[in-house]
Amino acid sequence: MSMSLWFSRMTAVVLAFSALAGCTYRGGDIGDPAVRKFHWYSYLEGEDIRANCQAGTPDRFRVVYTGLYDQQLRMYEVDSLRRVLSVKVVEPGGMGRLSFDDPMAPSRAREERVQLNEASYHGLVAAFAASGVFAPPPVGLELPSRSYHWTAATCRGGRYGFTAWKHPSPAFAAITFDKVLFGLDFTGIPVAAAGPVPFDPQLEDRAKRLETTTFTLKVGENGLGGW
């Protein structure tokens, strides 16, 4: 590889990485691939939730499952006032939704909204608590983009919190809220079950040639501590 080609590819990777990491999410359709490109890290961390979390504000819960970043993202948000669960799922291979009017349709999230009754709402919050959503975070835990993991950004009782779980681990295996969320998920898209990360020779080759972006997030004391 020539030096000029290496430099141009490295520049493209750095720009893509900066796009993911550099912009604060303050609301908007994270199911839109353009929004996701610039706000993913901030969305995961819940910067918008943290900025508005204070005594007297409604509880908010944002829980995200990454089934390998380039394969499946499942985003769950709970509106405690309206008792509504918002579900958004992104996966590759959505060419059946390709449209001349919207060429980005295959990359957009499939969305559903579920009205929760009191029992289902409180049952979900109880599952969050039992799984450690409101417990101290595992500071230093690394979350590679090519891994299976959950993150949770919350505002509960006026206090912001962020935590995460990575497969395989006892903490990941002990999660109970996943079954509750999946039971309320009517997108029709099968869950990418956690397991060994498959070896992808094409992805590895593109990574060596700096033609794709992979990243690793790290859990901090009050959000993401770096990447």
Side-chain angles (χ1 to χ4, degrees), residues 8-165:
S8 63
R9 287 179 176 174
M10 177 61 78
T11 300
V13 169
V14 170
L15 289 174
F17 184 86
S18 298
L20 281 167
C23 299
T24 299
Y25 178 76
R26 301 194 184 281
D29 182 12
I30 199 66
D32 185 315
V35 175
R36 203 162 57 247
K37 177 179 179 180
F38 289 99
H39 300 287
W40 182 245
Y41 292 179
S42 178
Y43 171 81
L44 277 186
E45 187 175 35
E47 283 193 275
D48 56 318
I49 294 176
R50 180 169 53 196
N52 296 289
C53 187
Q54 55 188 316
T57 57
D59 290 349
R60 290 185 63 186
F61 310 103
R62 176 180 297 155
V63 184
V64 178
Y65 176 64
T66 298
L68 308 184
Y69 179 79
D70 60 334
Q71 294 299 308
Q72 187 175 98
L73 303 170
R74 307 186 82 95
M75 297 158 273
Y76 302 92
E77 297 211 36
V78 180
D79 181 332
S80 65
L81 284 180
R82 298 177 179 83
R83 298 294 200 257
V84 170
L85 171 67
S86 171
V87 183
K88 298 182 180 183
V89 181
V90 178
E91 66 168 359
M95 297 307 292
R97 293 184 287 146
L98 185 62
S99 165
F100 288 111
D101 296 328
D102 184 8
M104 297 301 292
S107 299
R108 296 189 190 281
R110 188 169 299 179
E111 303 181 25
E112 292 289 340
R113 293 171 68 85
V114 181
Q115 185 67 54
L116 303 174
N117 58 32
E118 286 299 300
S120 58
Y121 171 78
H122 289 293
L124 179 56
V125 174
F128 285 158
S131 302
V133 169
F134 312 120
V139 177
L141 178 67
E142 294 188 345
L143 306 171
S145 55
R146 291 280 296 171
S147 71
Y148 298 93
H149 58 264
W150 285 93
T151 61
T154 62
C155 177
R156 188 188 190 211
R159 297 186 62 182
Y160 165 81
F162 178 85
T163 193
W165 307 256

Side-chain angles (χ1 to χ4, degrees), residues 144-213:
S145 55
R146 291 280 296 171
S147 71
Y148 298 93
H149 58 264
W150 285 93
T151 61
T154 62
C155 177
R156 188 188 190 211
R159 297 186 62 182
Y160 165 81
F162 178 85
T163 193
W165 307 256
K166 184 175 68 173
H167 175 82
S169 69
F172 188 100
I175 289 173
T176 60
F177 64 73
D178 56 346
K179 298 178 181 63
V180 181
L181 288 174
F182 295 156
L184 295 167
D185 184 334
F186 300 109
T187 58
I189 299 176
V191 176
V197 177
F199 177 72
D200 185 335
Q202 293 183 336
L203 179 66
E204 292 295 325
D205 185 58
R206 293 199 305 272
K208 289 179 181 178
R209 290 186 281 125
L210 304 178
E211 293 178 351
T212 189
T213 303

